[in-house]
Amino acid sequence: MSNLHADIKELIYQGNWKNNPALVQLLGLCPLLAVTGTVTNALGLAIATLFVLVGSNVTVSLVRNFVPKDIRIPVFVMIIAAFVTIIQLLINAYAYGLYQSLGIFIPLIVTNCAIIGRAEAYASKNTPILSMIDGIMMGLGFGLVLIVLGAMREILGQGTLFDGAHLLLGDWATNLSITLYQVDNAFLLAILPPGAFIGMGLLIAGKNVIDQQIAAKNKTTNTATRAPRARVTSMD
């Protein structure tokens, strides 16, 4: 049980920080940069990616002993494509406005290197439970970056937050939209692709700064711990 707890803690740390698929591995950047114009779009893609990650990881883990090594990648892609098709049909049926907004980037989840990479690097070598947790943590880490970047771009670009939330959550969510400040003209730099690249660069830089501060603090702590104690000379 202690080993399981340690594995879960490590997966949480890896997925959300140390090995974050967006900030560290720089995977899935195409949809990440393209659809994060608003928090609603970012949240929709985050949920879709999380669903596909968890479903494909668990399925790959279940069939890993029955798939020949020579064809494992095509099989993994087919499994991922099946879950992407399911989520695409669900979004089309229950959130058609969001489906139109995300467009081609829903089916492109099939080619997301973060999903294929986790299927090959982790799910194909571990139990279904650990693979499920890995999928959840990697999906949450990726989704968190999506949402933060979407919030940054939406606030700077149009002065709102959760604009178009009804596209994802239904008509009741119309009141969730928050207007932080009025703008006569949208700030196009934040809304267009250059703003996505700049925002992503700032997030990566922020993570690197925090990592450096943590490393420096740990180094200082270890140095203080290892420092030899001064000898006390007794005088007779």
Side-chain angles (χ1 to χ4, degrees):
M1 185 63 69
S2 59
N3 290 336
L4 179 60
H5 287 165
D7 290 339
I8 293 174
K9 289 177 63 176
E10 181 63 19
L11 289 174
I12 294 173
Y13 178 54
Q14 291 284 338
N16 288 282
W17 190 257
K18 184 178 180 180
N19 205 25
N20 186 286
L23 295 180
V24 179
Q25 300 182 63
L26 302 181
L27 300 176
L29 292 184
C30 179
L32 187 148
L33 297 174
V35 305
T36 51
T38 64
V39 174
T40 300
N41 287 354
L43 183 59
L45 185 63
I47 294 172
T49 305
L50 175 63
F51 173 83
V52 175
L53 255 171
V54 174
S56 60
N57 264 20
V58 173
T59 306
V60 167
S61 179
L62 289 171
V63 304
R64 70 187 191 279
N65 295 325
F66 305 100
V67 178
K69 292 183 178 180
D70 295 338
I71 62 169
R72 66 186 187 281
I73 298 300
V75 171
F76 295 167
V77 172
M78 289 179 62
I79 293 172
I80 295 168
F83 282 100
V84 170
T85 302
I86 293 171
I87 196 68
Q88 184 178 5
L89 293 174
L90 288 173
I91 295 176
N92 191 5
Y94 297 103
Y96 186 68
L98 181 66
Y99 177 81
Q100 289 182 311
S101 181
L102 295 179
I104 189 62
F105 294 101
I106 300 176
L108 278 179
I109 294 175
V110 176
T111 61
N112 191 325
C113 296
I115 299 175
I116 299 175
R118 295 320 295 173
E120 168 65 15
Y122 195 88
S124 63
K125 301 178 179 65
N126 290 277
T127 64
I129 293 178
L130 289 178
S131 298
M132 180 184 67
I133 297 172
D134 177 73
I136 293 173
M137 292 306 116
M138 286 291 171
L140 288 177
F142 185 76
L144 182 61
V145 177
L146 277 168
I147 293 169
V148 171
L149 184 58
M152 289 170 54
R153 295 179 64 191
E154 184 177 352
I155 292 172
L156 293 175
Q158 47 192 78
T160 62
L161 203 57
F162 295 107
D163 183 39
H166 63 283
L167 298 177
L168 176 63
L169 303 174
D171 294 337
W172 67 270
T174 304
N175 296 327
L176 290 180
S177 179
I178 302 172
T179 301
L180 300 177
Y181 58 89
Q182 296 288 344
V183 291
D184 295 329
N185 296 303
F187 183 35
L188 293 180
L189 179 62
I191 296 175
L192 294 176
F197 280 99
I198 294 172
M200 190 64 186
L202 291 173
L203 291 179
I204 295 172
K207 181 186 183 303
N208 290 340
V209 169
I210 294 174
D211 284 338
Q212 290 174 1
Q213 292 178 346
I214 293 174
K217 183 177 180 180
N218 291 338
K219 184 177 180 180
T220 302
T221 303
N222 293 337
T223 302
T225 303
R226 295 174 183 175
R229 295 182 178 179
R231 290 185 177 179
V232 178
T233 305
S234 60
M235 299 182 64
D236 294 335

